[in-house]
Amino acid sequence: MSEPGPARPPASTRRVPVVVLYSATLAISAALVFMVQPMFARFVLPLLGGTPAVWTTAMLFFQTVLLLAYVYAHWSTRRLGARRQAALHMALVAAALLVLPIGIPSGWSPPVEGSPIPWLLLLLVVAVGLPFFVVASSAPLLQTWLAATDHPDAADPYFLYRASNAGSVLGLVAYPLLVEPRLTLGEQSWLWSGGFGLLWALLIACGVVLWRSRPAASAA
């Protein structure tokens, strides 16, 4: 008979670190979601002003991408399973890093004549679309990843919403009170990019937890 491999630590001893990891990852992703929207608006305002059409277009864009992110999280998990989906998501995060830091690309200026709305929508897609899509899809994905592990809380991962809500409040409060008054737009962009890099590292750690665990159905 072959000798048994090294014993895995009991699930109870892995409970707190995994919960902290997943909660911190989700909180950071939520904070990034709510910080990038007013930040990018500050980039656009000098070019287009604060007209209702500009605000409505930006809001429509971000809400549409948020919806697409949730559809992606649901569809890709059903098609691929949690483990292969995590690999796909890591690739998307890596691709999003290539468009950072966020800002107005060189050579972009609004049209002199005609409606600026098509130009603004294209700018949003090019400059912030993929990074926002990645962070917006993190909430449902992290819950799905945890549910697919042998963790004691896998059967009910919805407690992670508490971390998501905390991160959302942090992003909403921190930007107008701390970030916007103290940092230039360039510094804000680099700060957000640093947070995105941290999110990438934490997502990889969450993926490792998922890949190393037994599937939830076979958990003892």
Side-chain angles (χ1 to χ4, degrees):
M1 289 181 62
S2 60
E3 295 184 2
R8 288 169 57 85
S12 59
T13 65
R14 295 181 284 116
R15 181 169 188 162
V16 172
V18 170
V19 168
V20 171
L21 171 63
Y22 272 72
S23 296
T25 307
L26 211 158
I28 291 174
S29 70
L32 291 174
V33 165
F34 282 91
M35 287 182 64
V36 73
Q37 299 179 56
M39 184 185 76
F40 196 76
R42 291 276 286 107
F43 277 101
V44 174
L45 284 177
L47 299 175
L48 298 178
T51 64
V54 171
W55 289 109
T56 301
T57 300
M59 183 179 298
L60 174 64
F61 171 82
F62 285 118
Q63 291 301 310
T64 300
V65 175
L66 181 64
L67 176 61
L68 292 175
Y70 274 71
V71 171
Y72 150 76
H74 174 74
W75 177 84
S76 61
T77 303
R78 290 196 62 181
R79 293 283 296 182
L80 302 175
R83 285 159 176 78
R84 285 186 293 173
Q85 196 288 324
L88 168 63
H89 197 62
M90 299 306 165
L92 282 180
V93 177
L97 287 169
L98 299 178
V99 303
L100 297 180
I102 288 173
I104 306 296
S106 177
W108 281 66
S109 58
V112 178
E113 298 180 357
S115 173
I117 300 306
W119 177 87
L120 176 58
L121 284 173
L122 183 59
L123 173 65
L124 286 164
V125 171
V126 171
V128 76
L130 185 56
F132 183 79
F133 180 85
V134 167
V135 296
S137 60
S138 295
L141 285 177
L142 286 168
Q143 292 179 39
T144 301
W145 294 1
L146 183 61
T149 70
D150 59 352
H151 191 269
D153 294 319
D156 186 19
Y158 302 107
F159 68 90
L160 290 175
Y161 270 117
R162 291 176 297 187
S164 177
N165 292 337
S168 301
V169 173
L170 176 63
L172 285 170
V173 173
Y175 186 80
L177 297 183
L178 299 175
V179 177
E180 197 276 336
R182 291 171 171 80
L183 301 178
T184 66
L185 279 177
E187 292 169 339
Q188 293 174 34
S189 180
W190 280 109
L191 174 66
W192 196 91
S193 300
F196 190 92
L198 175 60
L199 175 65
W200 184 39
L202 291 174
L203 284 170
I204 291 175
C206 291
V208 169
V209 170
L210 169 64
W211 294 322
R212 294 185 62 184
S213 69
R214 295 189 302 270
S218 63

